[in-house]
Amino acid sequence: MSDPPGTETGAAADERPEEPYLAAAAADRWDVLRYEEEPEPVRRAVPAGAGSAIVTTYERRARSRRRLVLALVPIAAVGLPAAGWLLAGTLGIAVGAVLAVVTAAVIVRRHVGEDAEERTDVPEVVDASADGATARSYGLENEATIAEAEAYLDENPREAPDLSPEEALDAAQQ
């Protein structure tokens, strides 16, 4: 039994790019993000307007991780001297206290003194609402995805998002 005309199955369904990329390809607007990765930064394009939401999400996650790490300071301040006392008595308390101070200092210096510009775990929007040619000039990691979306829209103009490109991008952001 065959599927009714117009329905997608198997490989045909897999070939269709994601809706936000279709919307962005229709609008030809992209946000270019830079991720600091070794050995060199990686640049990715996302539908225009989605870049700031991605950066905000990464910033929230980074703050959460910092809070979790900073919660270790009181645990180290109590736990290391207590462990030292259990293992070596009075001398162990002194050694544990010194280790606790050093551990706390390292944690605080590394995670509290970190400036927003120095953080490498949060991407940066390097170009907002750039056209496709400008976005590609950055040497994007996901350029193939953008090209697939544009080619798909060229071949299937009826598959363009039902909304205007701007409305589709707004919907994709939410």
Side-chain angles (χ1 to χ4, degrees):
M1 176 177 233
S2 66
D3 293 325
T7 59
E8 298 179 30
T9 60
D14 293 338
E15 290 175 14
R16 184 167 198 242
E18 295 179 30
E19 182 70 19
Y21 283 100
L22 284 178
D28 195 31
R29 290 288 172 224
W30 305 92
D31 286 349
V32 179
L33 298 171
R34 181 180 63 218
Y35 294 80
E36 293 297 328
E37 295 183 11
E38 294 297 325
E40 60 187 41
V42 172
R43 290 173 183 83
R44 295 186 176 114
V46 296
S52 60
I54 291 170
V55 169
T56 300
T57 300
Y58 271 84
E59 286 173 344
R60 284 185 189 143
R61 288 180 184 167
R63 278 194 303 272
S64 238
R65 282 192 300 270
R66 264 195 312 282
R67 282 189 207 120
L68 181 63
V69 169
L70 290 176
L72 295 175
V73 171
I75 293 170
V78 173
L80 289 173
W85 177 71
L86 288 173
L87 295 174
T90 307
L91 180 61
I93 290 176
V95 171
V98 169
L99 285 175
V101 168
V102 169
T103 302
V106 168
I107 290 173
V108 169
R109 178 175 162 83
R110 184 161 184 217
H111 293 284
V112 173
E114 189 176 68
D115 289 333
E117 292 89 30
E118 294 177 14
R119 285 199 312 254
T120 59
D121 56 346
V122 177
E124 175 187 4
V125 177
V126 293
D127 202 344
S129 196
D131 61 32
T134 303
R136 281 191 190 83
S137 71
Y138 286 98
L140 303 173
E141 178 185 82
N142 60 340
E143 184 177 343
T145 305
I146 298 169
E148 287 173 20
E150 290 172 340
Y152 184 85
L153 284 174
D154 289 343
E155 294 171 11
N156 305 293
R158 291 189 203 186
E159 291 293 321
D162 293 334
L163 306 169
S164 72
E166 293 77 19
E167 291 170 336
L169 288 172
D170 288 340
Q173 291 172 6
Q174 298 170 7

